[in-house]
Amino acid sequence: MNTKLLDALKNSLDEIKSWQETMHKSPELSMQEENTARYIADVVKSFGGYELVEGVGKYGIVASLKVGDSDKVIGIRADFDGLPIQEDNNLPYKSTKEGLSHLCGHDGHTTMALGAAKYLAETKNFNGTVRFFFQPGEETMQGSPAMIADGLFERFPVDAIYAMHNIPGLEFGKFYFREGETMSAVDNWEIELTGKGSHGSMPELGIDPLVCGASLVMALQTIVSRNVSPWKQTVVNVGSFQSGNAGNVVPQKALLKLSIRNMDNEVRKFVLDRIRNITKSQAEAFNCQYEIREGVPGTVLVNTPENTKWAADVTAGTFGEDSVVRNADALMSSEDFAFMLEKCPGNYVMAGNGEGYMVHHPQYVFNQDLLPLGAAYWVSLVEAYLN
């Protein structure tokens, strides 16, 4: 166990916590993180030594530090967007923005990377280049594709790239690794149904998109239960159904918002086609018009086996073998880091946040004791690879 490293980062906890608390107070939505990006850039500049490039994929930041003469390069990615959820906590650093919050811990992810970046700038105990990729827009699956489209890996090449996410319910202080398919592909779609509005007392004069939508919600449930093998992991979730404002009105429109998740890309294609076909058939049956608005196409997050085993071995050397879970369960949650792993080998690790509310819950709290551990994890990977 690397007690020297852990002690050094724990001794800096007050400063590291201040970065997280500042970001937590002022969350910004995906691809709108102008002030957060400026704050992160200012913190990195205060470390000295980093070559900083801002505005990558709109608000993305790349901070590179080269030491010595080695050509080896390692990449570390951290996200920093917030959520449109009202926080229900009494933290002294609670969100000051109504309806906006950091209830997924992205402020903590960025803070752990900042803690590592400062330590590495001070110690310079490596030979090569480390690049920190601070990424916007993870929640909407836009940030990673935007940075890639802006030439991320051509402008800032790396040999491998790594990322991390805290997970409530997993044992605090443990790091959970999995090779291969680890997180599902997500597709966030909207289906708008258009009928013909009418007075509620004369429904025969209208075309009711609400009734069509209700039937569509139920029909979509048959995809998982009747069209996909029980051995395949698939979710078709209608999380929002909006139609009408009064009981005595046949509404003009209905809007369904879907989150579709698949662990297999071939199954994903089949499920999406079924949604298209069922929507078309249901709309025709109720004489409604329809429009499907497909979001950013999803992809399965696949950890490179060699990089995953290597990262787990390094983690065991830093924290002890008891802190490493080497064959963790796959998750049906999703991550746009998957797009980066399609372009570059690497690993996405889960860090146990301890008992508490799950991410996206109004009372979720990022465990600040995880901050120095996460920073130590990043330092360990950098020093191990670049020595």
Side-chain angles (χ1 to χ4, degrees):
M1 182 177 294
N2 193 338
T3 56
K4 181 180 178 181
L5 169 61
L6 293 170
D7 289 344
L9 288 165
K10 287 177 181 177
N11 288 337
S12 301
L13 183 56
D14 287 344
E15 180 182 24
I16 294 173
K17 284 167 60 176
S18 72
W19 302 329
Q20 189 241 340
E21 292 174 3
T22 297
M23 287 185 281
H24 194 90
K25 289 178 183 177
S26 301
E28 294 176 294
L29 292 179
S30 302
M31 306 309 288
Q32 301 176 32
E33 313 95 328
E34 181 178 2
N35 294 324
T36 307
R38 186 181 302 116
Y39 175 75
I40 294 167
D42 287 344
V43 173
V44 174
K45 289 174 185 175
S46 73
F47 302 157
Y50 281 91
E51 178 185 338
L52 200 68
V53 179
E54 301 174 62
V56 182
K58 194 171 184 180
Y59 292 125
I61 301 165
V62 178
S64 303
L65 178 65
K66 181 174 176 61
V67 175
D69 56 3
S70 172
D71 293 330
K72 296 171 74 173
V73 187
I74 186 172
I76 294 168
R77 175 273 206 173
D79 43 14
F80 58 83
D81 53 329
L83 286 161
I85 304 174
Q86 179 65 43
E87 184 172 12
D88 185 18
N89 288 317
N90 294 317
L91 300 171
Y93 52 93
K94 179 181 177 179
S95 172
T96 60
K97 294 190 177 181
E98 189 72 20
L100 301 182
S101 58
H102 269 297
L103 293 178
C104 200
H106 294 186
D107 52 340
H109 300 163
T110 288
T111 299
M112 292 187 286
L114 289 172
K118 182 179 181 183
Y119 180 92
L120 292 166
E122 292 173 343
T123 58
K124 296 183 174 65
N125 183 32
F126 62 91
N127 183 20
T129 301
V130 56
R131 301 194 197 279
F132 287 92
F133 298 143
F134 296 100
Q135 183 211 298
E138 189 281 326
E139 293 291 352
T140 57
M141 299 283 141
Q142 294 174 286
S144 177
M147 293 185 75
I148 292 170
D150 203 6
L152 182 67
F153 293 118
E154 293 78 21
R155 297 165 62 189
F156 313 100
V158 294
D159 302 332
I161 189 166
Y162 298 85
M164 179 196 306
H165 204 297
N166 79 96
I167 303 292
L170 296 184
E171 186 174 345
F172 173 78
K174 286 194 175 184
F175 295 86
Y176 293 74
F177 294 89
R178 181 182 178 85
E179 298 178 8
E181 290 80 2
T182 300
M183 300 182 78
S184 71
V186 66
D187 292 274
N188 298 312
W189 285 14
E190 292 184 349
I191 301 174
E192 185 173 76
L193 303 169
T194 302
K196 180 181 178 182
S198 177
H199 194 284
S201 66
M202 294 172 278
E204 74 279 8
L205 300 180
I207 299 173
D208 196 338
L210 192 155
V211 173
C212 177
S215 180
L216 177 58
V217 169
M218 298 308 297
L220 291 174
Q221 305 311 304
T222 65
I223 297 174
V224 175
S225 65
R226 291 296 178 267
N227 300 149
V228 178
S229 167
W231 298 107
K232 300 293 184 179
Q233 293 168 294
T234 301
V235 172
V236 178
N237 186 66
V238 182
S240 176
F241 183 0
Q242 305 166 9
S243 185
N245 295 299
N248 63 346
V249 177
V250 174
Q252 180 80 6
K253 293 181 180 292
L255 179 66
L256 282 67
K257 296 183 180 182
L258 283 68
S259 179
I260 309 138
R261 299 174 190 270
N262 292 278
M263 195 61 79
D264 180 289
N265 279 321
E266 289 304 313
V267 174
R268 170 182 170 269
K269 294 175 185 176
F270 170 80
V271 169
L272 298 184
D273 280 341
R274 287 295 295 144
I275 293 173
R276 295 184 186 102
N277 292 335
I278 289 173
T279 300
K280 180 177 183 292
S281 298
Q282 290 287 308
E284 289 176 350
F286 288 88
N287 201 26
C288 285
Q289 302 298 311
Y290 74 94
E291 178 188 359
I292 299 176
R293 295 190 283 268
E294 302 182 9
V296 178
T299 192
V300 178
L301 187 148
V302 182
N303 280 327
T304 313
E306 297 82 2
N307 299 81
T308 301
K309 182 181 183 305
W310 174 80
D313 289 343
V314 173
T315 304
T318 301
F319 299 95
E321 188 64 46
D322 289 345
S323 295
V324 176
V325 177
R326 292 179 178 268
N327 190 27
D329 293 335
L331 299 177
M332 286 304 289
S333 51
S334 306
E335 235 303 340
D336 77 348
F337 184 63
F339 296 106
M340 292 190 181
L341 288 177
E342 286 187 323
K343 303 293 184 180
C344 183
N347 170 263
Y348 189 79
V349 68
M350 311 298 174
N353 197 57
E355 293 304 316
Y357 291 101
M358 183 48 68
V359 294
H360 294 211
H361 188 282
Q363 292 177 280
Y364 159 83
V365 177
F366 181 91
N367 190 335
Q368 290 186 315
D369 289 336
L370 189 59
L371 294 173
L373 302 185
Y377 172 78
W378 291 134
V379 171
S380 296
L381 294 195
V382 173
E383 291 185 344
Y385 185 69
L386 299 182
N387 275 321

